[in-house]
Amino acid sequence: MDLKLETNRLTLQPFIKEDATRIRDLANDKELSAILGLPHPYELQYAEDWIEMQPKQIKDGVEYPLTILGKEIMEVIGTITLRIDKGNNKGELGYWIGRNYWGNGFATEAVNRVVELGFNELNLNKIWASAVTKNKASKIVLEKVGLKKEGTLRQNRLLHNKYEDIDIYGILRNEYLNES
Ligand SMILES: CC(C)(COP(=O)(O)OP(=O)(O)OC[C@H]1O[C@@H](n2cnc3c(N)ncnc32)[C@H](O)[C@@H]1OP(=O)(O)O)[C@@H](O)C(=O)NCCC(=O)NCCS
């Protein structure tokens, strides 16, 4: 399966070792790390360790971590991952965009393409994602791509010493095929 995915403005593709510095630079941001629960400061070693485990994850078909590359910007601007639950034939989306690039529709464009990969190439039955309830931008992205809110897990994550509600969003294969 070719994991180099194209959209109008983006290329999504597997990481290379050289992406580590850029990932560190983008992830080493207080606001982003607060939302994601990433360590801050974000050390280069975290990015290197993450990238190192990815070829095996992809080979085993358990996780597809991809960089989001802006075609005009000519740099990695974020990441998107589809995590596969083989037993239940479903995939979980996770993504982030570097703060300088927020509000341009990039996340929507990337999520759209990975949902297409999940249903059309991986033949999944369901794609889902979770978003901290107060994370309005992420929930808007999921809704724009066609995921529906399935419910709220109350005080489900401890983020920076505060218990946060988590909203679960999902789209089923038959909904996707009927819509597109
Ligand atoms: C969530 C995130 C990926 C969105 O990326 P993005 O490229 O800016 O997203 P898009 O531009 O495609 O869409 C964002 C939408 O949210 C809206 N939005 C952004 N901030 C908002 C806010 N505080 N309140 C309400 N709406 C907001 C934007 O207006 C846009 O909607 P629109 O297209 O109707 O105008 C990015 O903000 C991010 O990386 N956040 C931190 C990590 C994260 O939350 N990851 C997701 C975990 S589930």
Side-chain angles (χ1 to χ4, degrees):
M1 183 174 51
D2 186 7
L3 282 177
K4 185 169 178 176
L5 312 175
E6 303 285 351
T7 70
N8 275 348
R9 296 179 298 164
L10 306 171
T11 302
L12 316 180
Q13 60 189 10
F15 286 69
I16 53 172
K17 282 198 182 101
E18 290 70 22
D19 292 325
T21 321
R22 177 70 175 158
I23 293 301
R24 189 269 320 271
D25 292 347
L26 292 171
N28 192 29
D29 175 276
K30 251 198 159 147
E31 198 176 334
L32 185 73
S33 56
I35 299 172
L36 291 168
L38 293 174
H40 188 79
Y42 189 92
E43 313 274 354
L44 180 62
Q45 190 67 45
Y46 303 147
E48 287 174 345
D49 291 348
W50 182 35
I51 292 172
E52 197 183 320
M53 63 175 82
Q54 293 175 358
K56 179 160 171 23
Q57 294 174 326
I58 291 175
K59 187 168 149 277
D60 293 346
V62 294
E63 200 157 324
Y64 297 95
L66 304 172
T67 57
I68 302 173
L69 189 86
K71 286 181 183 173
E72 259 182 38
I73 299 161
M74 296 204 297
E75 290 243 49
V76 170
I77 59 161
T79 80
I80 184 160
T81 298
L82 188 62
R83 202 168 298 125
I84 308 298
D85 171 350
K86 287 190 187 177
N88 296 303
N89 197 28
K90 63 181 181 178
E92 178 188 1
L93 288 164
Y95 48 87
W96 56 261
I97 300 285
R99 192 142 64 93
N100 288 345
Y101 306 102
W102 288 2
N104 294 297
F106 289 138
T108 305
E109 202 167 312
V111 171
N112 232 320
R113 184 64 188 87
V114 170
V115 166
E116 187 186 325
L117 171 87
F119 287 128
N120 289 348
E121 281 154 80
L122 299 172
N123 293 314
L124 297 175
N125 180 57
K126 176 172 185 173
I127 294 178
W128 70 283
S130 68
V132 178
T133 300
K134 67 180 187 193
N135 186 351
K136 297 221 169 61
S138 189
K139 299 196 307 182
I140 289 175
V141 168
L142 295 170
E143 279 163 9
K144 280 196 290 187
V145 175
L147 283 81
K148 293 194 177 84
K149 185 172 163 185
E150 298 189 346
T152 302
L153 304 175
R154 295 176 304 153
Q155 299 195 7
N156 202 56
R157 275 192 80 185
L158 182 58
L159 269 178
H160 304 279
N161 281 329
K162 194 170 170 291
Y163 292 104
E164 296 287 352
D165 292 352
I166 301 290
D167 288 347
I168 303 295
Y169 283 79
I171 180 167
L172 304 179
R173 180 178 189 78
N174 62 3
E175 291 170 342
Y176 179 78
L177 296 180
N178 288 339
E179 277 164 21
S180 53

